[in-house]
Amino acid sequence: MTTAFLQEIFSSVQGEGIYLGVRQIFVRFQRCNLACNYCDTNEATGELSEKFRVETVPGSGIFQWFNNPVTPRQLMDVVGKMAAEKHHSISLTGGEPLLYKDFLLEFLNLFRGTCQIFLETNGTRWEDLKELISMIDIISMDFKLPSATGLSLWDCHEKFLKIAKEKEVYVKLVVSAETKKHEVDRAVKLIQRIDHTVPLILQPVTPVNKAKAISPRDVISLQDHCSLSLKDVRVIPQMHKTFELL
Ligand code: SF4
């Protein structure tokens, strides 16, 4: 039987990207395959935690703790009840949810038809996406730049975006003072090669850990530059850092 380590389950509003403000059920998975310099999720890279928390009444901010790991059926029992309240979609987020591909295959079979499936991912695990794509509705895919990860992930991102294009997808690029123009150019060219209408979101970094903020003027200038090649380039900061519900 497949199981997963969760961090938390709660109901809130989406705080990033083009679905900013829609009401979602968030299922946050522990663990990630990357270690970005701006990561604000300790559970992504640290030790696995034996407990996860669940909001008792959607939107109340009151939580109860449970033991990890969980089965797909146990997750379904929790989020199935939450989905009865009005939600735009369920957001599978992390960490990196695609680390739990086998778990998700089982869970999404159970959850199918309840509400839309929204995947928030670092856009690297394309083999896993390939197996799950038919069950996902919307994909919020990050491009992780070498200046943030120390890695060159372009090939993975390209393969991932080609598969994600079967469904609704947008690309998010976190930009900081360390972001290099040639990296942004490479990201833009990659999207342009696949489909220049895929929205690109420039998300100014929230300065945590080693990440340094980018000036608003520099972000606007990047937007102008990217808009020469792509149809829809938006600047959208993280909302939940200024609007803390939890
Ligand atoms: S991909 Fe996301 S969760 Fe993983 S290390 Fe980077 S910012 Fe953190």
Side-chain angles (χ1 to χ4, degrees):
M1 180 186 294
T2 55
T3 56
F5 276 76
L6 302 180
Q7 184 58 32
E8 55 186 353
I9 302 171
F10 59 97
S11 164
S12 190
V13 289
Q14 175 56 241
E16 299 180 351
I18 61 177
Y19 280 90
L20 195 71
V22 301
R23 191 67 182 265
Q24 293 184 316
I25 300 166
F26 290 85
V27 178
R28 284 187 55 216
F29 291 83
Q30 294 188 41
R31 290 173 57 221
C32 185
N33 55 325
L34 301 180
C36 307
N37 63 3
Y38 50 75
C39 186
D40 58 1
T41 314
N42 295 336
E43 305 78 28
T45 48
E47 294 283 300
L48 284 174
S49 160
E50 287 175 7
K51 302 265 181 197
F52 70 100
R53 63 180 198 162
V54 177
E55 198 172 30
T56 50
V57 177
S60 66
I62 300 165
F63 288 84
Q64 224 181 319
W65 290 88
F66 296 90
N67 291 325
N68 274 314
V70 296
T71 63
R73 169 51 66 190
Q74 285 169 326
L75 178 58
M76 180 60 202
D77 287 346
V78 175
V79 295
K81 277 186 217 133
M82 276 189 163
E85 311 269 332
K86 207 168 176 187
H87 286 97
H88 169 272
S89 45
I90 182 169
S91 170
L92 307 171
T93 186
E96 175 49 54
L98 290 179
L99 290 174
Y100 298 97
K101 184 250 305 170
D102 292 335
F103 175 92
L104 288 175
L105 277 170
E106 276 188 53
F107 168 69
L108 292 176
N109 259 317
L110 297 170
F111 191 77
R112 200 193 289 257
T114 310
C115 68
Q116 293 192 96
I117 312 296
F118 185 99
L119 174 68
E120 300 193 61
T121 169
N122 61 30
T124 55
R125 298 183 64 90
W126 57 273
E127 296 102 327
D128 297 326
L129 181 70
K130 210 168 174 178
E131 291 192 46
L132 287 165
I133 188 73
S134 64
M135 297 161 132
I136 292 166
D137 298 298
I138 304 163
I139 301 166
S140 169
M141 167 191 182
D142 281 11
F143 275 7
K144 298 296 186 185
L145 299 177
S147 57
T149 60
L151 302 170
S152 175
L153 299 167
W154 300 112
D155 284 353
C156 295
H157 287 329
E158 183 153 5
K159 287 179 176 139
F160 195 100
L161 183 56
K162 280 181 180 159
I163 299 164
K165 264 285 299 156
E166 289 176 30
K167 297 295 177 77
E168 182 180 346
V169 59
Y170 64 90
V171 173
K172 191 153 55 65
L173 208 58
V174 175
V175 287
S176 72
E178 286 93 8
T179 302
K180 311 273 186 299
K181 190 139 174 275
H182 69 84
E183 299 177 301
V184 177
D185 275 339
R186 189 153 178 186
V188 166
K189 286 205 176 78
L190 195 164
I191 298 170
Q192 198 184 23
R193 268 203 304 281
I194 296 171
D195 182 350
H196 80 291
T197 66
V198 170
L200 173 65
I201 311 307
L202 299 174
Q203 180 174 294
V205 75
T206 305
V208 290
N209 298 338
K210 298 170 215 151
K212 292 196 193 88
I214 185 168
S215 78
R217 246 175 229 302
D218 286 345
V219 186
I220 296 290
S221 153
L222 277 179
Q223 184 185 32
D224 287 342
H225 182 68
C226 299
S227 299
L228 296 173
S229 310
L230 301 177
K231 191 166 177 224
D232 185 1
V233 183
R234 311 184 202 181
V235 175
I236 308 179
Q238 276 186 314
M239 178 177 75
H240 50 273
K241 295 296 169 187
T242 48
F243 181 65
E244 291 280 1
L245 276 174
L246 297 170

